[in-house]
Amino acid sequence: KQEVTQIPAALSVPEGENLVLNCSFTDSAIYNLQWFRQDPGKGLTSLLLIQSSQREQTSGRLNASLDKSSGRSTLYIAASQPGDSATYLCAVRTNYGQNFVFGPGTRLSVLP
Amino acid sequence: EAGVAQSPRYKIIEKRQSVAFWCNPISGHATLYWYQQILGQGPKLLIQFQNNGVVDDSQLPKDRFSAERLKGVDSTLKIQPAKLEDSAVYLCASSPLAGAPDTQYFGPGTRLTVL
């Protein structure tokens, strides 16, 4: 059974800092991995999708990497802004399941 | 295009009462999902519909939860009777392609508090 964890649970940084969010999964037989953003009172928004054959994906100031062998993914946010404050969740889709298993999320606060 | 709509946004009930949530997916989306997100946890899939048929309800507590998707469009999720541990945000999502959950569009959720 796939289990997904995220460290840290919460993070507070000053504006302008570069930061890394971590995601770990127990079963390396994954189909893909997706990073989502969740704002209070709102649903999830997809940020980046990494297929199992890829090592990383980039979108603007965001870069996500995937290391299947070690069961890890990282989300790198460059030059953080207060608008980046949200909860970031990673979700893993396994080869044997159609749907995602979500991690608990990292709550990020970027202070002006 | 309009997003996924959910109502009500908030609901407070006492244990053993019943409650229903409504979801209107993006027009034309074949697949609809209901998730339960307990505070501090990631969303957990409760049920997946493709058109008006159930694809996956393996994690739905069927003794108290039920869901239907009439005419392959709107969907309702019902809890009867509610327990304290049902307090959570219930998220609805839809996907345009059958068998392709990678692109899911989420609604804002319904926050349920069971007292």
Side-chain angles (χ1 to χ4, degrees), chain A residues 64-86:
Chain A
S65 67
L66 174 64
D67 184 345
K68 284 196 309 178
S69 61
S70 66
R72 293 181 182 177
S73 175
T74 61
L75 178 66
Y76 174 83
I77 301 177
S80 59
Q81 303 171 359
D84 296 330
S85 298

Side-chain angles (χ1 to χ4, degrees), chain B residues 56-102:
Chain B
D56 183 355
D57 63 356
S58 58
Q59 299 192 91
L60 186 73
K62 298 179 184 65
D63 58 334
R64 298 183 301 105
F65 285 65
S66 64
E68 61 180 4
R69 189 180 184 194
L70 298 176
K71 300 180 181 178
V73 182
D74 293 4
S75 178
T76 56
L77 177 69
K78 297 179 181 179
I79 308 175
Q80 182 180 11
K83 293 185 175 181
L84 296 177
E85 58 262 35
D86 298 333
S87 293
V89 175
Y90 291 84
L91 295 165
C92 178
S94 67
S95 175
L97 300 174
D102 299 339

Side-chain angles (χ1 to χ4, degrees), chain A residues 12-67:
Chain A
S12 184
V13 300
E15 181 177 5
E17 272 203 8
N18 302 325
L19 58 100
V20 174
L21 307 181
N22 297 292
C23 171
S24 297
F25 46 92
T26 55
D27 187 343
S28 61
I30 70 168
Y31 185 79
N32 59 37
L33 183 146
Q34 193 160 176
W35 283 92
F36 290 87
R37 169 182 174 142
Q38 185 172 28
D39 293 281
K42 297 185 178 180
L44 281 66
T45 302
S46 177
L47 298 173
L48 290 164
L49 173 68
I50 309 177
Q51 300 294 346
S52 63
S53 59
Q54 297 175 319
R55 293 300 300 267
E56 64 180 89
Q57 278 285 353
T58 298
S59 175
R61 294 182 294 107
L62 305 179
N63 175 276
S65 67
L66 174 64
D67 184 345

Side-chain angles (χ1 to χ4, degrees), chain A residues 31-32 34 36 38 41-46 49 51 89 93 98-105, chain B residues 9-10 33 35 37 40-43 45 48 55-56 91 99-102 104 106-109:
Chain A
Y31 185 79
N32 59 37
Q34 193 160 176
F36 290 87
Q38 185 172 28
K42 297 185 178 180
L44 281 66
T45 302
S46 177
L49 173 68
Q51 300 294 346
L89 300 104
R93 184 180 167 196
Q98 265 208 345
N99 295 302
F100 285 103
V101 177
F102 284 85
Chain B
R9 293 296 310 278
Y10 306 91
Y33 310 82
Y35 292 88
Q37 186 176 22
Q41 299 181 19
L45 179 69
Q48 176 189 351
V55 174
D56 183 355
L91 295 165
D102 299 339
Q104 294 189 32
F106 284 81

